[in-house]
Amino acid sequence: MFSIGQELYLESELKRVKLAQLPIVVKYLEGEIADYGGPIQELNEHSVRVNDMYYTKAACRFYIR
């Protein structure tokens, strides 16, 4: 299962978190928080949508909140 603060590396992890509607935190690669979190609303090959904002997988990291 997932634990608080765990980084989501794999596409399969992002999909499972989306299905479970677990809240996530989005951080830019430099470590700055981009979004304090919410459930994943949409997931595609290049981006993740949280709180009606799209975050590219190449520029962000995703963590369990």
Side-chain angles (χ1 to χ4, degrees), residues 4-15:
I4 294 173
Q6 177 181 341
E7 185 172 357
L8 304 168
Y9 293 102
L10 305 174
E11 186 71 18
S12 61
E13 292 173 332
L14 289 167
K15 287 179 182 179

Side-chain angles (χ1 to χ4, degrees), residues 1-24 40 43 62-65:
M1 204 60 186
F2 298 108
S3 59
I4 294 173
Q6 177 181 341
E7 185 172 357
L8 304 168
Y9 293 102
L10 305 174
E11 186 71 18
S12 61
E13 292 173 332
L14 289 167
K15 287 179 182 179
R16 289 193 347 239
V17 167
K18 181 182 183 302
L19 286 174
Q21 290 295 288
L22 296 175
I24 65 166
I40 296 172
L43 182 62
F62 307 95
Y63 302 85
I64 296 292
R65 184 177 78 179

